[in-house]
Amino acid sequence: MAANSPVFELLQRNEEEFVGRDLIIAGDILDPMVFSLVKRAHSATVIVDNYVVCKKMAAMIGKSMDDSCPQVIEYKHVKLIFADVKSALSHTNEADTLLLLLSKSKQQTLKLLNTLKSKLKKEALVYTAGSNDGGAKSADSLLKPLGFVKKVDLARKCTLFKAIYENDFNTYKGVQDIKVNPINIPLTLHQDSAVFSQGKLDNGTAMLIESLKDLTPFGSALDLGCGCGVVGLVLSKLGFKNVTSTDVSAAAIELTKENAKLNGCDSIKVKASDMLTDLDRFDLIAVNPPFHVGVTTTTAPTVNMIIEAKDHLTKNGVMYLVANAHLGYEKVLLENFDYVQIVSSSTTFIVYKARMEEK
C-alpha cells in the first residue's frame, strides 16, 4: 500500500478525532503513515501484525527491529508493538479510543474488537476505517452491539465509523483446532482468523507437502511464509533436524510457535522475515507464497523472492514452490534457475522444483 493510501488520507483529514486521546491502533495496518496519527495523542499503543510495516514505523522514530516476536518499542508517549493481539494485551495501556483498520476478514475484526475491549474505558470511542470493497461500508453492523454508532466520513472509496462503548458485548467465537493427516503424518493444528486458510489444509499447501514426501532429510530447511506452520511441521516429522519457519505476520509466527509445541516439534526455529531478506542459505526452501496484500492482488513480492532465492540456497540447494496456475511464475523461474521442473499440477495449482546447476 502506498504511503498516501486512501485509508490514511481519510484518517488524516479526521485526525482531530484522535488529539489528546489515550489511543490504541490495531488491525490491518499496511500503510506506515498511519503511525503519524499518534503525534498529538495523549498516549498511544500501535499493534502491528506486519513486520515490514512495523520496521518502517520503527524507523520513523529512529528505532530498529530484530526478527523476534513479540517485540515492543517505546518512544515518548508511544508504544509500537509487533505481535498478535493476544500477546500484545499485556503491553497495552488502558485507552479511551480504539481505531481498527479493517481486515478483509470480518472474523479477524471481531476478534480484535472482542480482545481489546478489556483495555477500553467505559464510553470509549471505537472507530473502524477501511476500503469499501474490504467491508468498511457496512462496518457499522460490527459496532452496533457496543452502543451508539455514526458515520464520520466517506472519501476515496473508504469509510470511517465511530461508536461509543456503552454496552458489554461478546460477538466473537474462537476458531476450533483441526486435525489433518498430510502424507500420513497426523497433526493437530491451532487456527487463527488472521492466518490464511482456516478449517482445513488448503489444496495448494497439501500439494506442496505431497511433493516433499519422498525427500531424504538433509541439511537445513526453510518453511517460507509459514502461516500456521504445517509445512515446517511436516519437514520436522520427516526427519529434518534444522528447520526454520518464517513469516511477515506476527499472528502467523505465534500460531506456528503454538503448533510446533503442540505437535512435539520444539526444535523448529520461528522468526519474522520480509520474504528472504536477511535470511541465511538453506539446502531446501519450501514456499506457498501469498498473492494478496490486504484486498489487493499482487505477484511482485513472489517475483522478487524467486529472483533472490538462488542466493539463499546452498550449492546443491533446491526450492519447491506451489502457486495458482494462472499466476505464471514459470517464466521468472526459468530466467533465474538452471533447472525448473513441474512436480505436480492440477487445474488450480502447480508445484515447481527449481535448482541451480552443480558446480
Side-chain angles (χ1 to χ4, degrees):
M1 190 178 283
N4 59 341
S5 63
V7 173
F8 171 66
E9 290 187 4
L10 174 71
L11 291 168
Q12 188 178 37
R13 73 188 219 168
N14 292 281
E15 63 182 342
E16 292 297 323
E17 300 275 340
F18 311 112
V19 173
R21 310 294 294 184
D22 293 312
L23 175 64
I24 298 171
I25 304 177
D28 208 16
I29 304 172
L30 298 176
D31 184 345
M33 287 305 295
V34 167
F35 199 42
S36 66
L37 297 171
V38 308
K39 284 181 184 175
R40 293 192 288 156
H42 177 259
S43 69
T45 302
V46 184
I47 303 167
V48 186
D49 181 73
N50 186 292
Y51 181 58
V52 176
V53 173
C54 203
K55 284 176 76 173
K56 289 177 180 176
M57 287 181 166
M60 290 166 71
I61 52 175
K63 304 283 186 176
S64 58
M65 292 179 63
D66 58 32
D67 57 18
S68 66
C69 180
Q71 197 166 163
V72 181
I73 296 168
E74 297 193 49
Y75 178 77
K76 295 184 177 178
H77 66 294
V78 179
K79 281 186 183 179
L80 176 62
I81 305 176
F82 173 61
D84 67 295
V85 66
K86 185 180 173 184
S87 301
L89 269 188
S90 62
H91 305 285
T92 302
N93 297 333
E94 194 176 40
D96 58 24
T97 308
L98 170 62
L99 169 61
L100 289 179
L101 280 292
L102 292 171
S103 161
K104 62 182 179 180
S105 163
K106 178 181 174 182
Q107 288 303 306
Q108 172 59 4
T109 301
L110 287 172
K111 177 186 175 182
L112 290 168
L113 191 55
N114 282 263
T115 304
L116 290 169
K117 72 178 181 180
S118 65
K119 295 295 180 178
L120 296 181
K121 298 174 183 175
K122 201 65 178 174
E123 298 192 343
L125 302 178
V126 179
Y127 296 83
T128 60
S131 61
N132 292 340
D133 61 0
K137 203 170 184 179
S138 59
D140 56 332
S141 65
L142 306 179
L143 296 175
K144 279 178 182 173
L146 283 69
F148 174 77
V149 183
K150 77 171 214 176
K151 185 184 292 182
V152 178
D153 201 1
L154 171 64
R156 299 290 308 275
K157 299 181 180 178
C158 299
T159 304
L160 178 66
F161 279 107
K162 174 166 71 173
I164 299 174
Y165 178 27
E166 299 169 302
N167 310 315
D168 192 19
F169 58 95
N170 185 9
T171 54
Y172 175 74
K173 291 184 178 179
V175 185
Q176 297 298 308
D177 291 358
I178 63 169
K179 293 188 181 296
V180 297
N181 194 28
I183 58 173
N184 294 318
I185 297 174
L187 299 169
T188 300
L189 300 176
H190 288 329
Q191 300 280 275
D192 190 319
S193 55
V195 180
F196 171 71
S197 187
Q198 294 94 47
K200 63 182 180 64
L201 189 61
D202 71 278
N203 293 336
T205 298
M207 279 183 65
L208 176 62
I209 290 172
E210 183 70 23
S211 72
L212 303 173
K213 68 179 181 180
D214 295 324
L215 285 178
T216 301
F218 63 101
S220 57
L222 172 66
D223 175 9
L224 179 62
C226 56
C228 72
V230 65
V231 173
L233 297 180
V234 168
L235 290 171
S236 181
K237 295 287 188 182
L238 284 173
F240 282 82
K241 303 298 184 189
N242 184 358
V243 178
T244 300
S245 296
T246 68
D247 207 288
V248 74
S249 162
I253 292 165
E254 187 59 34
L255 189 59
T256 295
K257 288 179 184 176
E258 291 175 2
N259 284 328
K261 187 174 182 180
L262 182 65
N263 290 280
C265 299
D266 298 58
S267 65
I268 295 175
K269 296 182 284 291
V270 187
K271 59 185 181 180
S273 78
D274 172 13
M275 281 295 193
L276 289 165
T277 303
D278 297 327
L279 293 182
D280 296 328
R281 290 177 182 264
F282 297 88
D283 296 292
L284 170 70
I285 296 174
V287 57
N288 180 2
F291 59 96
H292 288 102
V293 177
V295 296
T296 305
T297 299
T298 176
T299 59
T302 299
V303 169
N304 291 336
M305 182 275 295
I306 291 170
I307 293 168
E308 295 170 5
K310 59 182 177 292
D311 297 322
H312 290 271
L313 287 169
T314 58
K315 168 170 86 166
N316 299 314
V318 60
M319 178 172 72
Y320 286 81
L321 181 152
V322 65
N324 288 66
H326 72 274
L327 295 175
Y329 291 134
E330 187 169 358
K331 181 174 182 292
V332 68
L333 283 163
L334 287 166
E335 288 171 351
N336 287 277
F337 286 87
D338 295 329
Y339 297 99
V340 178
Q341 174 188 352
I342 292 178
V343 179
S344 63
S345 63
S346 68
T347 54
T348 313
F349 295 102
I350 299 175
V351 179
Y352 301 97
K353 177 182 178 181
R355 63 181 176 86
M356 299 302 294
E357 187 175 29
E358 293 183 24
K359 293 176 183 175

